[in-house]
Amino acid sequence: MLDLVIRDADVVDGSGADSYRADVVVDNGRIVAIVREAAAAGCQRPSAMRELDAEGLVLAPGFIDMHAHSDLALLRDPDHSAKAAQGVTLEVIGQDGLSYAPVDDRTLAEVRRAITGWNGDGDDIDFEWRSVGEYLDRLDRGIAVNAAYLIPQGTVRALAVGWEDREATPEELDRMRQLVAEGLEQGAVGMSSGLTYTPGMYAKDAELTELCRVVASYGGYYCPHHRSYGAGALEAYREMVELTSEAGCALHLAHATMNFGVNKGRAPELLALLDEALASGTDISLDTYPYTPGCTTLAALLPSWASEGGPEAVLARLRDEGTAERIRHDLEVTGSDGCHGVPMEWDTIEISGVSDPALAEYVGRRVPDWPTARRLLLGDRLGTTILQHVGHEENVRAIMRHPVHTGGSDGILQGDKPHPRAYGTFPQYLGTYVRELGVLSLEECVAHLTSRPARRLRLPDRGLVREGYRADLVLFDPRTVAPGSTYEEPRRLPTGIPYVLVDGRFVIEDGRRTDVLAGRAVRRTPAP
């Protein structure tokens, strides 16, 4: 007897084609039959051990979060409803050039400190792995949803070079090439960079190009958080396009926004740049979140020179009055490269989380000035997370319409008041931008969130409702699907998503999280 038949679903199959009514049969983790218009045709209907009446519900492939920061959350929180309840069945982690493999003992300690604001300090995690393969093996023991991994270029540089602002020696560059190759061989799908974060930002284009050549040789892709989303945004996008074109490497632009006042209304310029590159044969895709504010750590705004040497060196500079004044000048007058070359507007900065509970009173408040920011950076030992209210709605809508666009939450799950996108990105697309605003049709939107990212990840059996494909599926009510999360209550779960399956098993059933841990590491498909 077959495992499951989903009856009378409105199938939006992820291809962008029109929806259709069908019974969909699942067995042993895969879709084994699709019977269109079974009831109307009067034909023999499939049977199974379980039958689910999907009348009024849309059945779609599970959503793929192309930019996630769940590197430790997947291990820490077996429930992981933040993503499972949204219909996410696969997350891409290892983002922005900093994560926890490959490492040695020294680098692991440094990285844990550097991205405490993203993932917590990790005191509750058994860091038993050091290589990419060992980390993926750890995920394979069972997690809420599937996960693919990008090799973090900043971590690779920290391991081979350190946290100094200098060019790598030939021997160090060879070591970085080797580390990237090993990570890809062990299952990573590509490489990420955080080019406004140390130490990845210290890499010159020639170094990045050499690493991208390695990525290209394995059929992976490069996912950069590029050097500016503010004053130099278009130049930074162009730099990444030219760099990957020279390396022959596929490019996926992370959280491809046009933020800050200098970029209001300039999304068409970015899209024209991408269209020109695509027309020349360059392989490009991008992801965005459907909100205007950004989210990062307070320490990320500091100028790169102040961050050289790692977290302890940063804290020492902040304690020194003269150096702190120089930092303030760069932030408020010059425009720090950490803040994308735009002079700081403190009233755009909202504290979303702190590592030290003694500083909890600051959460939800705006940062009034540099003395307050400095006090927080020192008191919280760089662990403070922020929302940065610098986006523009017209840019958000324009970019999400582009045919190479995919969805990514960029969801930091740490802090008492995280960005609502961590819990709401995918229902926000479906409820707000499809049903309420009509920016995308339902079929278009589902394609953006499923088959397009699966194609970028080179996954041959995910991202579509097709016979033989894995049964990573979501059922939602198109009339009611909506994010529950708000800026005031960011951890509220969405509505209108009653069922989510990973590998044919219900992780969300009747709107509630089950105890199923069907997720595993999704490893790179070997290049043909």
Side-chain angles (χ1 to χ4, degrees), residues 77-379:
D77 177 21
D79 181 83
H80 203 48
S81 288
K83 295 302 177 67
Q86 294 187 60
V88 171
T89 58
L90 171 59
E91 298 183 273
V92 185
I93 56 179
Q95 298 286 352
D96 294 333
L98 288 168
S99 190
Y100 305 95
V103 292
D104 57 15
D105 291 350
R106 170 190 63 83
T107 308
L108 175 60
E110 293 166 343
V111 169
R112 285 177 60 183
R113 173 68 62 80
I115 54 176
T116 292
W118 295 358
N119 299 309
D121 59 21
D123 283 347
D124 55 342
I125 301 293
D126 180 5
F127 288 94
E128 58 194 276
W129 66 85
R130 292 298 179 268
S131 70
V132 169
E134 290 168 347
Y135 176 64
L136 298 182
D137 288 344
R138 175 65 184 84
L139 298 177
D140 275 341
R141 295 182 196 173
I143 49 180
V145 302
N146 297 308
Y149 190 70
L150 294 167
I151 301 165
Q153 171 259 331
T155 300
V156 166
R157 196 172 212 273
L159 182 55
V161 180
W163 296 73
E164 292 75 36
D165 184 1
R166 63 173 177 82
E167 291 190 23
T169 66
E171 294 76 18
E172 290 166 341
L173 182 55
D174 284 343
R175 176 64 174 145
M176 286 189 280
R177 288 194 193 98
Q178 178 187 1
L179 289 166
V180 171
E182 288 173 353
L184 289 159
E185 289 169 358
Q186 292 164 10
V189 295
M191 181 179 75
S192 75
S193 282
L195 300 179
T196 64
Y197 301 127
T198 58
M201 69 190 306
Y202 299 140
K204 301 293 190 292
D205 282 3
E207 178 181 315
L208 295 171
T209 301
E210 288 303 307
L211 298 183
C212 283
R213 292 189 200 281
V214 177
V215 174
S217 71
Y218 284 88
Y221 70 94
Y222 181 43
C223 179
H225 166 126
H226 50 274
R227 297 191 194 274
S228 176
Y229 289 82
L234 287 173
E235 292 77 11
Y237 282 114
R238 185 174 292 107
E239 175 191 13
M240 294 298 101
V241 170
E242 293 174 352
L243 184 156
T244 50
S245 180
E246 180 179 347
C249 185
L251 172 64
H252 181 83
L253 295 165
H255 38 59
T257 59
M258 291 291 286
N259 286 341
F260 301 92
V262 295
N263 290 318
K264 183 177 175 62
R266 298 187 70 190
E269 296 177 59
L270 166 62
L271 300 179
L273 186 159
L274 299 182
D275 285 339
E276 181 180 357
L278 288 163
S280 71
T282 306
D283 185 359
I284 301 175
S285 55
L286 57 87
D287 66 68
T288 70
Y289 46 83
Y291 297 86
T292 51
C295 179
T296 186
T297 62
L298 186 59
L301 305 180
L302 299 175
S304 57
W305 63 263
S307 299
E308 185 179 4
E312 289 302 326
V314 178
L315 292 168
R317 293 185 183 101
L318 287 166
R319 292 187 194 102
D320 181 79
E321 293 295 338
T323 309
E325 172 55 24
R326 183 182 166 200
I327 293 172
R328 183 206 65 78
H329 185 273
D330 272 16
L331 282 167
E332 297 182 351
V333 180
T334 305
S336 160
D337 51 3
C339 194
H340 309 281
V342 178
M344 179 61 65
E345 297 176 354
W346 289 113
D347 63 352
T348 67
I349 306 299
E350 177 185 356
I351 303 301
S352 62
V354 293
S355 296
D356 185 349
L359 299 170
E361 65 182 281
Y362 287 96
V363 175
R365 291 164 50 181
R366 299 293 175 115
V367 177
D369 50 30
W370 166 242
T372 303
R374 181 188 178 197
R375 188 160 58 249
L376 274 167
L377 288 163
L378 286 168

Side-chain angles (χ1 to χ4, degrees), residues 264 290-292 391-398 400 433 437 439:
K264 183 177 175 62
Y291 297 86
T292 51
H392 305 286
E393 179 65 21
E394 65 270 38
N395 288 346
V396 171
R397 297 188 192 189
M400 75 169 62
Y433 288 93
L437 299 175
V439 175

Side-chain angles (χ1 to χ4, degrees), residues 12-17 60-66 89-90 252 285 403-407 426 442-466 469 472:
V12 177
D13 67 4
S15 69
F63 304 135
I64 298 176
D65 188 342
M66 285 295 287
T89 58
L90 171 59
H252 181 83
S285 55
V404 301
H405 167 268
T406 66
F426 295 86
L442 180 58
E443 289 84 357
E444 287 174 320
C445 185
V446 169
H448 284 241
L449 306 181
T450 59
S451 65
R452 290 182 187 174
R455 188 161 56 245
R456 166 52 69 218
L457 295 167
R458 298 181 61 247
L459 303 177
D461 57 356
R462 300 178 195 265
L464 292 168
V465 179
R466 290 280 193 276
Y469 274 56
D472 293 347

